[in-house]
Amino acid sequence: MPLGAFLWMLRVLSVLLATAMAVAIGGATDGRSAAAGPLATAAWGLVVAALAIALVVPSPLGLTVLRLLLPATVPAAVIALSAGAAATGGVAAAALAALATVVAFSAETAEALVQGSAYGSEQRLPLRVPAAMMLPMALTWTLWCAATLGALVLLCAGRRAPGAPVAFVAGASGWLLARRFHTFSRRWLVVVPAGVVLHDPIVLAETLMMQRTNIAVARLAPAQTEAADLTGPAAGHVVEIVLREMALAVLAPNAAEPQGKALHIQSLLVAPSRPGRALQRLSAARVPVG
């Protein structure tokens, strides 16, 4: 399926979700405090506006917005359903939210979004998240989501004393979380006419550029490879790029190496979300693929 089809699928799902959630929110706030309806509707309106901009103007920032906000619509729909929304509207909103989240987290959607801001003829291939970072990301997002929805529920119930500080915590943590998520949205293997570029601010302190004439072969990595692991490390199949002459890779600072570390590498491992498609793109760019 073409990458654009995933983006259009997500756009259609988002329109349906916006309508279903608005109905569910209306049912959940009907008959409650005078501020509940306008506050919940305004909050949902801001979410819809952010999603619309992210989907109309594809970009890495749009990917960050989608992956932060869309999963939160699932518990939001459940809260609306438990607060009195009609079963049909609440279940429809929850189902649409779950489906839209699955599509938003697909590799195809990510590639379509990050490609939206690509320069010239470059092709950006998103990289998989390092395995060790997935659980911390999920936990911090869960805490932020709980604080955000909790603050909204408290404020809609007229409980400003506990609601205001929880809202402050949600806002501050959301800002920090969004910056971290956006770093992961900016990790790509880039195919350009002159060669291949590894842009990964999580693993590398500097972008690694490899001229096409210096690449001996790109392939699925064999089990016993001794190539430098620049994947994070990430789980699943990875691609090995073997160079004719050594290149300099500067690793990002970490607890063990606070100043970073420079490596002279003959071969390296990268983890594009779709290794097969990455090899096809490399082959089309006249990079030897074996």
Side-chain angles (χ1 to χ4, degrees), residues 59-61 63-64 114 124 126-127 179-190 198-202 207:
S59 68
L61 181 58
L63 178 61
T64 301
V114 301
R124 296 178 177 179
L127 302 173
R179 292 183 63 184
R180 186 61 172 172
F181 264 54
H182 190 51
T183 303
F184 285 96
S185 298
R186 297 173 55 248
R187 301 175 64 244
W188 318 301
L189 181 68
V190 188
L198 180 58
H199 180 271
D200 188 349
I202 296 294
T207 298

Side-chain angles (χ1 to χ4, degrees), residues 6-27:
F6 283 82
L7 203 53
W8 276 106
M9 186 189 309
L10 190 54
R11 287 166 176 162
V12 172
L13 287 172
S14 297
V15 171
L16 296 174
L17 174 60
T19 304
M21 188 69 80
V23 172
I25 289 173

Side-chain angles (χ1 to χ4, degrees), residues 88-243:
T88 302
V91 171
L96 287 167
L99 184 55
T101 298
V102 171
V103 177
F105 274 82
S106 70
E108 289 74 16
T109 297
E111 186 174 339
L113 287 168
V114 301
Q115 188 64 28
S117 61
Y119 298 102
S121 58
E122 72 177 20
Q123 300 177 66
R124 296 178 177 179
L125 305 170
L127 302 173
R128 291 199 300 277
V129 175
M133 298 182 181
M134 295 182 72
L135 182 58
M137 288 175 65
L139 289 176
T140 52
W141 178 89
T142 300
L143 293 174
W144 165 77
C145 182
T148 301
L149 295 178
L152 186 58
V153 168
L154 289 171
L155 293 173
C156 285
R159 302 179 61 185
R160 296 182 180 179
V166 174
F168 176 79
V169 170
S173 60
W175 171 253
L176 296 175
L177 186 63
R179 292 183 63 184
R180 186 61 172 172
F181 264 54
H182 190 51
T183 303
F184 285 96
S185 298
R186 297 173 55 248
R187 301 175 64 244
W188 318 301
L189 181 68
V190 188
V191 182
V192 296
V196 180
V197 176
L198 180 58
H199 180 271
D200 188 349
I202 296 294
V203 176
L204 298 175
E206 299 177 2
T207 298
L208 176 60
M209 294 176 283
M210 296 162 278
Q211 291 186 341
R212 179 168 51 82
T213 54
N214 191 37
I215 299 176
V217 67
R219 63 194 177 194
L220 287 178
Q224 303 302 321
T225 180
E226 296 182 356
D229 191 347
L230 301 184
T231 68
H237 294 294
V238 298
V239 171
E240 180 181 28
I241 299 176
V242 182
L243 304 176

